[in-house]
Amino acid sequence: MAAFEEMGVLPEIGKAVEEMDWMLPTDVQAEAIPLILGGGDVLMAAETGSGKTGAFCLPIIQIVWETLKDLKEGKGGAGAAPSQTSPHWKLSVWDRGSAMAVTPDGMRCQSREQREWHGCRANKGLHSGGKYYYEATVTDEGLCRVGWSTGQASLDLGTDKFGFGFGGTGKKSNNKQFDSYGEPFGMHDVIGCYLDLDNMQIKFTKNEKDLGNAFNLPKQLHSATFFPAVVLKNAEMSFNFGAEPFKFKPSGGYTACASAAKEFVKNSDVAAAASTSKAKVVNNAPQAIIIEPSRELAEQTYNQIVKFKKFIEQPSIKDLLVIGGVNIKDQISVLNSGVDIVVGTPGRMEDLISGGQLALTHCRFFVLDEADGLLKQGYTEMINRLHRQIPKITSDGKRLQMIVCSATLHDFEVKKLANTLMHFPTWVDLKGEDAVPETVHHVVVPVDPQADQAWKNYRKHVQTDGVHARDNCSPSANSAEMLSEAVKMMKGEYAVHAINKHKMDKAIIFCRTKLDCDNLERYFNQLGGGPQNRNNPYSCVCLHGDRKPHERKSNLERFKRSEVKFLICTDVAARGIDITGLPFMINITLPDEKSNYVHRIGRVGRAERMGLAISLVSRVPEKVWFHGEWCSSRGRNCSNTRLTDAGGCCVWYNEPRYLADIEEHLNVTIQQVTPELDVPVDEFDGKVTYGQKRQNLGTGYENHVAQMAPTVKELAKLESQAQLIYLKKHLKKQG
């Protein structure tokens, strides 16, 4: 029996991982796989290269397959209360806040919570065209807001970009923008809610008085489904969707919601999932959603899943990669034909969900990989929104499982997310606070233009970023700007020296900006004779956000296949590259996020292979680009070299301070070496060959087996004696 099978993993999956030369589970896999198979929420942190992807993918594949098999055999749905989706328009008892009460007929709602808003949506929505109307009447004093929202919106109507409301204070609201509109309303007032899907507009009336257009719906919501929605604070409202005569009949060709043609009506996914008595396969409703912070990491996880499920059959598992840069129509086509596991990036995932092409009604697993990265990229609200949409009890009676992987579980935002969304999660923290793997030798090389003045005689150097275009940077200037420009030239030369000194034939080189990457790529090509030179000692490719998706993918594949020696990239790639045995990494500039230092150097030293990470750290402040929201072009062709406090797009970058922050964060002093780059490997791990496995593994004792043999023999003898004593006593009792 394979080691993975002993943890309860299917033999077919065990066979696949054996084929990948995974003979034994890693520590994180041994901890997490049984927990996930057991049905619990798991928070997971482990060093990069520790097998974390397999730790959550293997059990997910198994549970998805077991669910599909049960459905195929007619099992599932035990314990669910039989109920059918109502043919009538009404407020949903499923899609509502915890303090919102809905009458049995679904025509009146009430919330007596005085401090919080609680909302509710109708059980049906409208899409694809037409003009529709419903009425809402205030039946008790309090605060209320009524209108339209997509199924993706928060129940707190009007506080995100998917909800459009009109409140009793005379304010219209969308995405937390509260603007004056119409006039206030209160007790006994009748609010008419108009949805024009032909012209993509929303308006309201008060007691038949037309208050004018309130919202023009954004283009990205043109294919969405819109549901009548309300949110209350200590208030009550009644609704009429058209089953009864309206108090104020709409004009202008508007139709009652209840009279809409069937092809324009869609049942609420939340209500449908909660009321279904038996689990069903819904083609565009996968059982597992895995969100990754980058295209590269999404592709890597997807490729792992393909390998893991290689021998899974009858039924087979269908998977889909959802990322930008790929025709969305192709992804929709796959969704419509059926999919069980979806791996993707947040942007494209949200596009498909908001457009109704990807449903969350049958989601059993909600996985956030590199969660700290997702949160830092600003996806907190999107994650919360998706979590609200996913039924917490699936249609076959199983509880939603959430798995969160992070570089560290000690990040405040990660802890906050876990406390908010997860159900008594088990921590699998094999890393603790950020730490550098023992297989990585990381050193700092000081770059000091005052001590090393060779830059004054450079005939050829890397093109700098242009921040000093208006400054006097001649050697005679002896200014901070001159030293900053010198550092930029020196770092290019130091990188070349590091490559030559250590005979690097494969390395990742991290730059701070996309412009720095482009400049270094151009310089390497100049030195080595360009891409057309097959023997170019500095052959390289670039990977950053301004490169087209297909180019990024092609460049990464070329680097992986060793068609080029160097991959020059920004932090966009720090979390997404997994190349076993990668020997070298160079930081042209330290990252300003201390956790990114660990992510960067974690690209080497994976799978017990030794790696060398070199950071070039300026001893003097360096002036660099810093384009914020104030920059109209966000950096494209920007020439505003003033400092940010003077209305410009530059800052002074203090690398010694960032180095101190990193060392304090890791609780280590990073070894410094001279610009000659004589790395003392003998003090690190004996004779080291970077990219190869460590030579001194385990205890480090010589002839360890021979030393332990007498002790093992003695233990075996004692065990035999103990068994004989027990057997004699047992036979004596029998006699």
Side-chain angles (χ1 to χ4, degrees):
M1 179 181 286
F4 282 90
E5 292 177 49
E6 293 180 1
M7 296 190 296
V9 172
L10 288 169
E12 292 86 352
I13 297 177
K15 182 179 178 182
V17 297
E18 279 188 5
E19 193 173 270
M20 297 166 63
D21 291 329
W22 291 18
M23 304 313 296
L24 292 170
T26 63
D27 290 343
V28 69
Q29 290 165 356
E31 291 258 2
I33 289 174
L35 291 170
I36 299 171
L37 288 175
D41 283 9
V42 174
L43 265 169
M44 192 188 312
E47 290 178 346
T48 185
S50 62
K52 172 174 55 67
T53 303
F56 66 80
C57 284
L58 295 179
I60 286 175
I61 290 170
Q62 175 157 330
I63 292 174
V64 167
W65 178 80
E66 289 172 345
T67 303
L68 292 173
K69 189 168 181 289
D70 285 346
L71 290 173
K72 186 178 179 181
E73 295 174 355
K75 302 176 184 177
S83 173
Q84 296 298 321
T85 302
S86 172
H88 305 297
W89 281 76
K90 57 184 181 179
L91 297 175
S92 172
V93 296
W94 304 107
D95 199 5
R96 58 173 172 157
S98 58
M100 176 70 86
V102 176
T103 56
D105 64 359
M107 292 296 115
R108 183 175 298 201
C109 62
Q110 179 189 88
S111 174
R112 286 302 169 214
E113 174 61 56
Q114 298 187 22
R115 291 177 296 179
E116 296 177 346
W117 290 89
H118 285 266
C120 184
R121 270 189 287 266
N123 64 340
K124 299 178 186 293
L126 299 152
H127 64 94
S128 302
K131 301 165 77 173
Y132 307 100
Y133 172 83
Y134 74 90
E135 282 182 347
T137 304
V138 182
T139 50
D140 199 356
E141 294 289 358
L143 296 176
C144 50
R145 196 157 57 241
V146 67
W148 302 87
S149 74
T150 71
Q152 198 174 4
S154 163
L155 288 172
D156 191 357
L157 178 66
T159 57
D160 58 30
K161 61 185 178 181
F162 303 103
F164 304 84
F166 171 40
T169 57
K171 300 282 187 181
K172 63 177 183 177
S173 58
N174 168 251
N175 205 20
K176 294 185 179 179
Q177 292 291 322
F178 293 84
D179 300 319
S180 295
Y181 169 78
E183 56 190 55
F185 62 85
M187 189 69 171
H188 304 308
D189 285 330
V190 179
I191 305 303
C193 302
Y194 293 75
L195 175 67
D196 182 351
L197 291 180
D198 294 332
N199 299 301
M200 303 309 293
Q201 293 179 333
I202 289 174
K203 72 172 185 175
F204 301 92
T205 58
K206 174 187 172 183
N207 302 328
E208 203 174 18
K209 179 181 178 180
D210 194 332
L211 303 178
N213 184 49
F215 302 102
N216 292 312
L217 298 175
K219 188 174 181 180
Q220 60 266 31
L221 295 183
H222 284 196
S223 61
T225 300
F226 289 86
F227 297 83
V230 61
V231 64
L232 305 176
K233 183 189 285 188
N234 193 26
E236 181 182 284
M237 294 192 82
S238 65
F239 289 79
N240 183 0
F241 298 110
E244 300 291 334
F246 290 123
K247 289 186 178 179
F248 303 104
K249 189 175 180 180
S251 59
Y254 283 84
T255 302
C257 292
S259 301
K262 288 183 178 180
E263 61 267 27
F264 298 132
V265 178
K266 182 179 179 182
N267 290 320
S268 166
D269 289 336
V270 177
S275 64
T276 301
S277 64
K278 195 172 186 179
K280 298 178 181 178
V281 174
V282 178
N283 283 351
N284 70 333
Q287 293 189 50
I289 298 286
I290 302 172
I291 301 180
E292 304 281 0
S294 70
R295 293 188 185 98
E296 289 74 23
L297 195 51
E299 288 176 337
Q300 181 177 302
T301 300
Y302 173 79
N303 291 333
Q304 289 284 80
I305 289 173
V306 171
K307 293 177 182 177
F308 293 149
K309 71 182 186 72
K310 180 178 179 180
F311 299 106
I312 295 287
E313 296 176 345
Q314 297 180 351
S316 60
I317 294 174
K318 300 174 184 176
D319 43 49
L320 174 64
L321 177 65
V322 170
I323 56 174
V326 178
N327 192 327
I328 195 169
K329 292 182 179 178
D330 295 337
Q331 295 172 348
I332 292 171
S333 176
V334 175
L335 281 167
N336 290 337
S337 65
V339 66
D340 306 306
I341 300 175
V342 172
V343 183
T345 49
R348 179 55 60 88
M349 192 91 74
E350 190 169 29
D351 289 343
L352 291 168
I353 293 169
S354 62
Q357 291 92 5
L358 174 57
L360 301 175
T361 54
H362 287 60
C363 185
R364 172 74 185 278
F365 290 99
F366 187 39
V367 183
L368 304 176
D369 195 12
E370 302 288 1
D372 53 329
L374 289 167
L375 298 178
K376 285 173 184 174
Q377 290 175 28
Y379 291 115
T380 304
E381 176 52 36
M382 189 211 80
I383 291 168
N384 289 331
R385 187 166 55 250
L386 296 190
H387 186 265
R388 284 194 298 267
Q389 289 180 257
I390 300 172
K392 304 309 174 283
I393 301 295
T394 60
S395 54
D396 60 348
K398 301 290 174 48
R399 192 184 62 77
L400 170 72
Q401 280 183 255
M402 191 167 177
I403 301 165
V404 172
C405 306
S406 175
T408 173
L409 302 183
H410 303 273
D411 182 278
F412 173 76
E413 292 299 325
V414 173
K415 286 182 178 178
K416 182 179 175 183
L417 180 139
N419 290 335
T420 304
L421 303 185
M422 301 183 78
H423 181 76
F424 299 108
T426 301
W427 284 40
V428 177
D429 190 359
L430 302 184
K431 187 175 179 183
E433 301 289 349
D434 265 341
V436 177
E438 292 182 357
T439 50
V440 177
H441 188 188
H442 57 131
V443 298
V444 163
V445 179
V447 180
D448 188 347
Q450 294 172 309
D452 179 2
Q453 299 191 8
W455 56 273
K456 293 181 179 180
N457 301 315
Y458 286 166
R459 294 182 179 179
K460 183 186 293 186
H461 59 78
V462 66
Q463 180 179 342
T464 58
D465 55 13
V467 298
H468 296 299
R470 297 180 177 87
D471 299 328
N472 179 7
C473 292
S474 65
S476 60
N478 196 29
S479 62
E481 288 78 10
M482 175 208 73
L483 295 175
S484 170
E485 181 74 357
V487 164
K488 297 175 190 294
M489 295 186 289
M490 293 172 70
K491 284 189 173 183
E493 291 303 305
Y494 277 34
V496 172
H497 177 58
I499 289 169
N500 296 339
K501 178 81 174 183
H502 291 278
K503 298 180 175 60
M504 297 183 185
D505 58 359
K506 195 165 194 175
I508 294 181
I509 303 175
F510 282 100
C511 296
R512 182 179 162 275
T513 67
K514 294 173 280 191
L515 177 60
D516 293 334
C517 289
D518 294 337
N519 288 341
L520 191 63
E521 178 190 39
R522 192 179 302 112
Y523 184 51
F524 277 12
N525 282 328
Q526 289 173 356
L527 292 178
Q532 67 279 0
N533 181 7
R534 293 184 178 180
N535 299 316
N536 183 355
Y538 308 108
S539 60
C540 61
V541 288
C542 243
L543 189 67
H544 61 63
D546 277 356
R547 299 293 174 104
K548 296 286 178 60
H550 71 274
E551 182 186 358
R552 288 169 61 178
K553 183 175 181 179
S554 172
N555 287 350
L556 183 55
E557 288 303 315
R558 289 185 63 199
F559 178 66
K560 285 184 174 182
R561 293 194 299 265
S562 298
E563 294 176 9
V564 295
K565 294 183 177 181
F566 306 108
L567 178 66
I568 303 171
C569 57
T570 58
D571 280 314
V572 72
R575 297 173 181 265
I577 299 174
D578 185 9
I579 304 170
T580 301
L582 187 64
F584 300 104
M585 191 284 303
I586 300 175
N587 275 326
I588 298 295
T589 304
L590 285 177
D592 53 4
E593 278 281 347
K594 48 186 177 283
S595 60
N596 278 345
Y597 177 81
V598 179
H599 286 299
R600 286 186 183 186
I601 67 174
R603 299 310 100 198
V604 299
R606 300 169 79 93
E608 297 183 352
R609 308 276 176 166
M610 301 307 301
L612 174 63
I614 297 172
S615 297
L616 308 178
V617 178
S618 172
R619 284 279 178 87
V620 299
E622 181 185 351
K623 188 179 178 184
V624 298
W625 289 112
F626 187 79
H627 305 285
E629 294 179 357
W630 57 86
C631 180
S632 58
S633 66
R634 295 306 296 266
R636 289 183 179 274
N637 302 315
C638 179
S639 58
N640 188 350
T641 59
R642 296 193 301 274
L643 296 174
T644 53
D645 56 9
C649 289
C650 289
V651 295
W652 284 100
Y653 204 77
N654 190 331
E655 279 198 285
R657 189 187 77 200
Y658 290 127
L659 176 61
D661 288 344
I662 290 167
E663 290 182 327
E664 181 182 6
H665 180 63
L666 297 175
N667 196 28
V668 298
T669 299
I670 302 174
Q671 184 179 27
Q672 294 204 15
V673 299
T674 67
E676 294 302 315
L677 281 162
D678 293 318
V679 179
V681 294
D682 289 340
E683 296 177 15
F684 177 52
D685 191 46
K687 187 176 180 180
V688 168
T689 302
Y690 293 114
Q692 300 299 316
K693 287 200 172 186
R694 298 180 68 187
Q695 295 183 2
N696 297 340
L697 294 173
T699 62
Y701 292 136
E702 292 183 11
N703 304 317
H704 183 58
V705 173
Q707 291 178 23
M708 293 298 294
T711 304
V712 173
K713 188 175 181 180
E714 183 65 22
L715 283 171
K717 183 179 178 181
L718 289 171
E719 183 180 357
S720 178
Q721 290 175 353
Q723 290 177 356
L724 285 171
I725 292 170
Y726 173 79
L727 185 59
K728 287 177 181 178
K729 286 185 176 181
H730 182 71
L731 291 173
K732 190 175 182 180
K733 285 182 180 180
Q734 293 291 330

